[in-house]
Amino acid sequence: MPPDNDTLAATDAPLLPIHRQPGFLSFLLSRLAAVFAMQIQAIVVAWQVYDITRDAMSLAYVGLAQFLPMVILLLPAGDVVDRFPRKRILQLSWAVQAFCSALLLLLAQANHGSVIEFYAVLALFGCARAFTGPTLQSLLPNIVPRAQLAQAIALNSSIMKVAVISGPLLGGVLYSVGGGSLAYAVCLGCFIVALSLLVLVPVRYVEKAKVLESTAWKRFSAGIRYIRYQPIILGAISLDLFAVLLGGVVALLPIYAQEVLHVGPEGLGALRSAIAVGALLMGLYLGVRGIKRRAGHVMFIAVAVFGLANLVFAFSTLFWVSMIAMLVAGAADMISVYVRTTVIQLATPDEMRGRVNAVNMLFIGSSNELGEFRAGSMAAGFGVVPAAVIGGVGTLAVVGLWMRLFPTLRRVDRFDDAR
């Protein structure tokens, strides 16, 4: 990957505290603004679409409209990330997402009863996200030194939860006060702030580019081949994929909020924020203490707790019980994210990070977006509570099976083992 004009000699940089590393705080703030926009937009689009249709399948299509473009573009995006300046790619992808917020603003002002246009904009948004995900994952190791990467990952993940917590809450309030128009205008402003702050981030730790594979297909599939022969990485990524694919209940929250818990958009925002609060608290703990030993074992326990928390939520008819269940689920999921991300970054050479992270984002996208489709379609067919219960039980089954299929992952002790 050719370095951009911001690239400095990594060997000349002193090992400063992580918060004093040049560009790290600007990177965090820029990503914070972008995630803030995404979270507001996610809850407002879901609520608005369901408000128009009153059909659970419409929520499934919200996830599918974003997932399909990601499936098509993620592998080529990973190749692009490894061949061109990552900071420039991130700027372009955020600019496209800002354009999507502007389009949603226009649709909200039109105030018609069709949702087809919303799906079209979400598809374009999914195209941009295909480049955003692997770029963000690959760019962080180019900003901070390797010795501080695990700490940077934990801090980055926990700080992002600030937006994940306040974004849905503010999204619900904005929708109640000014409808979709006000909410999408705020999203557009957040993306503009993110783009402005990203200009201040220097790219300092870029390894010398190596000769890439000769054909486009070989370049695209290099990440898949690498992960295939790394059982620790393969196990960690696939465990997260199937756990969230089966156990995730985020897509069902609008239905639970309206028909089970009987709360409005503010209550929906609070439920989504509870997930992020749990993740934030756990992320802050991991940023200070970290996981020193038995990382693989801890990850399996965390995914099992995630499934159990979603089962509690499935049966709950009390708002406060549902909030606690989402809080626990968010904390457990943060542990899984922390272990998986650290293992991938430490085990992957820089010239392949874009393609490996593209595969990782494909798994994440599959678990999130297809998980929404799974939950929405099952809710339409069997009812919302059975759909949530089946998902929680499925997550626990995956944990037991993966412990047998990937004993190497279960036995991971220290993160340095991934190297």
Side-chain angles (χ1 to χ4, degrees), residues 65-137:
Q66 300 175 75
F67 171 72
L68 289 180
M70 290 179 62
V71 172
I72 297 171
L73 293 177
L74 262 174
L75 292 182
D79 178 49
V80 170
V81 171
D82 282 338
R83 297 174 64 196
F84 298 98
R86 291 166 181 168
K87 179 177 168 180
R88 303 293 185 259
I89 297 170
L90 184 58
Q91 289 171 323
L92 181 59
S93 62
W94 277 351
V96 173
Q97 291 176 64
F99 177 66
C100 291
S101 295
L103 292 177
L104 289 171
L105 172 60
L106 295 176
L107 290 175
Q109 291 175 339
N111 196 27
H112 52 72
S114 173
V115 295
I116 300 299
E117 293 86 351
F118 285 91
Y119 295 146
V121 175
L122 291 175
L124 178 60
F125 191 77
C127 292
R129 284 181 58 194
F131 290 86
T132 302
T135 307
L136 280 170
Q137 295 292 329

Side-chain angles (χ1 to χ4, degrees), residues 377-410:
S377 58
M378 290 187 69
F382 306 109
V384 63
V385 174
V389 171
I390 292 172
V393 173
T395 298
L396 296 176
V398 166
V399 171
L401 180 60
W402 255 239
M403 290 182 72
R404 295 180 60 88
L405 292 177
F406 296 94
T408 307
L409 175 61
R410 188 180 72 246

Side-chain angles (χ1 to χ4, degrees), residues 5 47 49 57 85 94 104 126 129 144 176 203 208 212 245 252 262 281 309 318-319 328 331 351 359 365 367 373 414:
N5 292 331
W47 186 274
V49 168
M57 280 302 296
W94 277 351
L104 289 171
R129 284 181 58 194
V144 300
S176 298
V203 180
K208 184 178 179 180
L212 297 174
L245 174 63
L252 302 178
H262 305 293
L281 295 176
L318 299 174
F319 183 68
V328 173
E351 72 272 6
V359 178
S367 62
F373 183 78
R414 302 177 186 272

Side-chain angles (χ1 to χ4, degrees), residues 33 52 61 69 79 122 141 149 178 192 196 233 241 244 255 296 331 379 389 395:
I52 293 172
Y61 294 135
D79 178 49
L122 291 175
L149 184 57
I192 293 174
S196 301
I233 299 178
L241 164 67
V244 178
I255 306 176
V389 171
T395 298

